[in-house]
Amino acid sequence: MESVRDIMQELESCSNLIAEAIIRKTNPYSDDISENQARKAYGIKWLRKMKAEGLAKYARVGGRVLYSRHQLDCLRAAEREQAKLIFRKLGKDK
């Protein structure tokens, strides 16, 4: 059984992502980050893996590669949620 703290953390994470998406739709702003900034923020291996799987969308502007910070945050949240589900299932099997 999940603790109240875990449930609250999941709800807070979801609500932050939803609020950010609403703000982007109503008041568009540039949340682009360069590839170098994305590597520092998310990790080189993780970013390379997401690009290889075709999940991390990017745009080439001049000689720069730009990513959307919101899209990368959503990918990271989805990946963490999958890991939580796997660990919950393993915990119930014991």
Side-chain angles (χ1 to χ4, degrees):
M1 183 172 198
E2 289 186 72
S3 71
V4 174
R5 179 182 294 186
D6 293 339
I7 294 170
M8 290 300 294
Q9 286 175 345
E10 287 179 29
L11 290 175
E12 185 177 347
S13 173
C14 277
S15 64
N16 286 339
L17 290 172
I18 290 168
E20 191 174 320
I22 290 171
I23 290 170
R24 279 196 64 182
K25 291 285 186 184
T26 58
N27 187 14
Y29 64 93
S30 178
D31 73 337
D32 295 337
I33 59 173
S34 68
E35 185 159 20
N36 189 31
Q37 291 171 328
R39 286 178 177 171
K40 288 179 184 176
Y42 299 96
I44 295 170
K45 285 183 180 180
W46 185 84
L47 189 61
R48 191 178 299 146
K49 177 182 158 192
M50 291 298 126
K51 277 179 72 173
E53 292 176 6
L55 298 174
K57 306 291 187 241
Y58 59 92
R60 291 192 181 272
V61 178
R64 299 175 67 195
V65 176
L66 300 176
Y67 295 91
S68 168
R69 183 180 300 272
H70 175 70
Q71 196 250 346
L72 293 177
D73 286 342
C74 288
L75 281 174
R76 169 75 47 91
E79 186 178 60
R80 287 183 176 164
E81 185 60 32
Q82 284 180 337
K84 286 180 188 176
L85 291 174
I86 290 170
F87 286 121
R88 279 188 211 139
K89 175 111 174 101
L90 291 175
K92 289 181 182 178
D93 290 342
K94 290 182 178 180

